[in-house]
Amino acid sequence: LPDAFLEFLSENGLDPAVYIPRYIRLKPGITEIESELKCVLEKVSWLPGFYAIPPEIQIAGSKAYQQGKIYGIDAASGAAILALDVRPGDHVLDLCAAPGAKLCMLADTLGTTGSLTGVDVAKHRLAACRTMLQKYCLGDRTRLFVADGTLFSILPVNFPEWTSRRSWKDRQKTKKAPELIYYGKHSGLVGLCKSDVGYDKVLVDAECTHDGSIKHIQKFEFWGWKTLDRRILDAGRTENLLQLQLHLLTNGFKLLKTGGSLVYSTCSLTVSQNESVVQQFLSTHPSADLQKIDLADNWPCRSGGIPKTLRFDPAVSQTSGLFVAKFSKL
């Protein structure tokens, strides 16, 4: 690692040795996969359906991956989804949906009830989500919008006159709206309405510097370490990110219905992108209540800098770094 990044880790009290293993999630109903991957899987005892795999195994070329039997997703990311506690029949919003592994886990959790709305500002990245939904046969209850997550305002509201693709396209002609690029046949009806109706569950896995992800950091070996300076260490970009994270969290909470739950997470190890964002948000939203995540009593994580928040510290949890905060709306 370059000196500038080592200094960045030191300033945040982080050991550069924290970057470790890889995980997969089995699609529900799949029970045996070792013969196809040609390796022994280590079951993650605290996270159903997750397994650690040897680092040399390349899942993308495996028959199991190509046939949609496994997902590549870090265990900490799976924990963030479990923290949301999605229930059958819920209307769920994933406000930063790309690249799609969490979106698919949400869809698997919902099963044959409720609806799932995925939003991302990058059309090509959201198109990759669409491909994943189709590959894993998860699209029936999902709709995808290319939109700015800080401004997205479409609620899961039922209006009889907007029951078809045609009616949605007609509406787009008369009003500026997010671009709908995928609409599952049972994904609910699209409506624009200012009311107390909202989503039951919202996930804001916000854009961040990704410094807690070994997979991401390794990319800089190919991109060049000067790219790391620009993407992670540049103070101006970091300040813009902090504002983006706060606005994403604020808008996600706005779209949450009273009594609903929201999970905010990032794979950054820094305080500024996590605890500081949460503190700023709480200071201006008296109806937001920080919740204890009961499932975490059995998770290999530690408390964040704010009570009830969590940190997956790679050195302790053997996962990528992840910060998780859960809110309810009073």
Side-chain angles (χ1 to χ4, degrees):
L1 295 173
D3 290 341
F5 189 65
L6 291 173
E7 183 178 346
F8 167 81
L9 293 176
S10 177
E11 289 172 354
N12 285 278
L14 304 170
D15 184 340
V18 299
Y19 295 103
I20 38 83
R22 299 173 60 222
Y23 295 88
I24 60 170
R25 179 173 74 88
L26 268 59
K27 187 170 178 62
I30 302 299
T31 57
E32 205 290 314
I33 212 76
E34 291 182 338
S35 59
E36 293 184 48
L37 292 179
K38 297 180 174 60
C39 70
V40 175
L41 303 182
E42 181 182 347
K43 188 174 183 178
V44 179
S45 61
W46 53 276
L47 194 61
F50 277 73
Y51 297 82
I53 62 172
E56 68 274 9
I57 299 298
Q58 300 297 317
I59 66 169
S62 70
K63 188 176 180 180
Y65 182 77
Q66 293 167 0
Q67 293 180 344
K69 296 179 179 179
I70 58 175
Y71 303 85
I73 178 173
D74 190 78
S77 296
I81 298 299
L82 283 191
L84 197 54
D85 193 23
V86 172
R87 301 295 178 91
D90 279 347
H91 293 291
V92 183
L93 172 64
D94 185 350
L95 202 54
C96 307
K102 295 186 186 72
L103 183 79
C104 286
M105 186 170 172
L106 286 169
D108 271 328
T109 303
L110 275 176
T112 58
T113 61
S115 69
L116 175 59
T117 299
V119 177
D120 204 272
V121 72
K123 186 172 183 177
H124 69 284
R125 283 166 56 81
L126 200 63
C129 290
R130 178 178 59 195
T131 299
M132 286 187 71
L133 290 173
Q134 293 168 333
K135 171 184 174 180
Y136 291 101
C137 302
L138 293 172
D140 280 359
R141 296 191 170 273
T142 306
R143 58 188 186 174
L144 300 177
F145 291 94
V146 180
D148 181 344
T150 67
L151 301 173
F152 184 74
S153 61
I154 296 174
L155 299 170
V157 181
N158 292 339
F159 287 97
E161 66 270 27
W162 294 341
T163 59
S164 69
R165 293 169 184 262
R166 176 176 293 180
S167 62
W168 169 251
K169 289 180 179 178
D170 290 342
R171 185 169 179 79
Q172 282 186 307
K173 293 176 183 177
T174 59
K175 277 197 173 186
K176 185 178 180 181
E179 181 181 359
L180 179 69
I181 69 165
Y182 185 83
Y183 190 89
K185 61 183 178 180
H186 300 304
S187 62
L189 306 175
V190 177
L192 291 169
C193 179
K194 297 294 183 184
S195 72
D196 194 40
V197 178
Y199 291 92
D200 298 286
K201 306 288 167 61
V202 175
L203 175 67
V204 182
D205 185 48
E207 173 64 20
C208 68
T209 51
H210 303 288
D211 53 89
S213 168
I214 178 59
K215 184 178 179 182
H216 188 81
I217 295 300
Q218 285 176 328
K219 293 178 182 178
F220 290 103
E221 290 189 83
F222 302 97
W223 294 343
W225 293 111
K226 288 185 178 179
T227 306
L228 181 143
D229 291 342
R230 185 175 71 253
R231 293 196 177 191
I232 293 184
L233 307 180
D234 180 74
R237 180 177 186 274
T238 300
E239 181 57 35
N240 289 335
L241 264 180
L242 299 180
Q243 291 304 310
L244 172 62
Q245 290 158 353
L246 182 59
H247 290 318
L248 286 168
L249 175 54
T250 299
N251 194 44
F253 190 74
K254 179 181 177 181
L255 295 169
L256 183 69
K257 77 175 187 180
T258 301
S261 298
L262 179 151
V263 164
Y264 172 78
S265 62
T266 85
C267 61
S268 172
L269 298 167
T270 67
V271 171
S272 61
Q273 297 176 67
N274 298 313
E275 284 90 347
S276 295
V277 170
V278 168
Q279 286 176 327
Q280 288 184 69
F281 172 73
L282 287 172
S283 69
T284 56
H285 290 80
S287 63
D289 185 33
L290 204 53
Q291 295 286 298
K292 179 181 182 296
I293 301 172
D294 294 327
L295 286 172
D297 291 344
N298 298 315
W299 293 351
C301 56
R302 59 183 175 85
S303 174
I306 299 174
K308 300 179 183 179
T309 64
L310 304 176
R311 277 185 174 271
F312 284 85
D313 181 341
V316 175
S317 63
Q318 295 294 289
T319 67
S320 288
L322 195 80
F323 172 86
V324 183
K326 183 177 181 178
F327 304 87
S328 64
K329 192 171 193 177
L330 302 175

